[in-house]
Amino acid sequence: MSNDSTISDVTIRELTPADEKAVEALLLSVYPSDMEARLVHKLRHCGALVLEQVAAASDGAILGHIAFSRVTNTTIGANQAVQVACLAPVSIRADKQRTGIGSRLIGSSMQSLGELQEDLVLVLGPPSYFPKFGFDAELAKKVHGPYAGAAFMAAPLTEAGSNNLPIQVTFATPFEEFE
């Protein structure tokens, strides 16, 4: 994490309806297409989001955003009770990237997911970045669904998230656009 003084001026909090337009603008500014903005909008409005948080500056400006959606565990048997969420996407305003805001946003949201009794979090992202938050590609091999490979990682939040695998999962319908 950086020693950048702007980090101390940032508040991590739950998204409010008033933040939605600013989050859409952020997503449109940091990704090369509107796919992520459309994904978040669809996930939010179909009720699939488990958690959505923002990093806000002291003046209220949205500097970062993170969303987690429900992943349906379709396993039959003892492991069917494992609660699974997917991190997608995480976005930091271009001029604030590499200042530690993303790390704070991910760390805070992972703690919140633990408090919500989620067992396992999945992500499809850079293998060089997400392991520092507990994500592991080897563990993700025990999660069977539409994604695989080194970029598909899993982070356990509970003992069940580590031990009650393998499981079969399906992602929320809006993800079909990415498959």
Side-chain angles (χ1 to χ4, degrees):
M1 187 176 291
S2 167
N3 291 327
D4 190 323
S5 62
T6 61
I7 295 173
S8 62
D9 298 338
V10 175
T11 301
I12 307 299
R13 62 173 174 74
E14 300 292 315
L15 177 118
T16 67
D19 298 324
E20 289 182 23
K21 289 280 188 214
V23 166
E24 180 183 26
L26 171 69
L27 292 167
L28 291 170
S29 75
V30 299
Y31 290 101
S33 77
D34 68 346
M35 277 185 89
E36 284 80 4
R38 286 196 331 264
L39 175 66
V40 169
H41 177 81
K42 288 176 181 180
L43 290 169
R44 187 184 294 138
H45 294 285
C46 79
L49 288 182
V50 175
L51 179 68
E52 202 172 0
Q53 292 186 330
V54 295
S58 55
D59 66 0
I62 301 300
L63 306 177
H65 168 264
I66 195 166
F68 294 84
S69 60
R70 172 62 54 223
V71 175
T72 303
N73 179 352
T74 60
T75 304
I76 304 298
N79 296 347
Q80 73 187 54
V82 175
Q83 291 291 307
V84 186
C86 173
L87 186 170
V90 59
S91 312
I92 306 301
R93 201 169 80 184
D95 66 333
K96 296 296 181 183
Q97 292 178 5
R98 295 177 178 76
T99 65
I101 293 172
S103 292
R104 277 200 45 214
L105 194 56
I106 294 168
S108 172
S109 61
M110 294 290 279
Q111 180 178 339
S112 295
L113 287 169
E115 292 165 5
L116 292 170
Q117 301 180 338
E118 293 296 316
D119 295 307
L120 188 67
V121 180
L122 305 175
V123 70
L124 195 61
S128 60
Y129 183 71
F130 284 100
K132 69 182 174 181
F133 302 104
F135 287 93
D136 178 14
E138 284 301 310
L139 184 63
K141 289 178 182 177
K142 297 178 182 180
V143 179
H144 307 285
Y147 306 108
F152 183 58
M153 295 168 274
L157 298 177
T158 65
E159 205 171 289
S162 293
N163 300 333
N164 295 8
L165 302 174
I167 58 173
Q168 180 78 34
V169 299
T170 59
F171 286 73
T173 303
F175 279 97
E176 291 174 2
E177 207 173 314
F178 285 86
E179 292 174 13

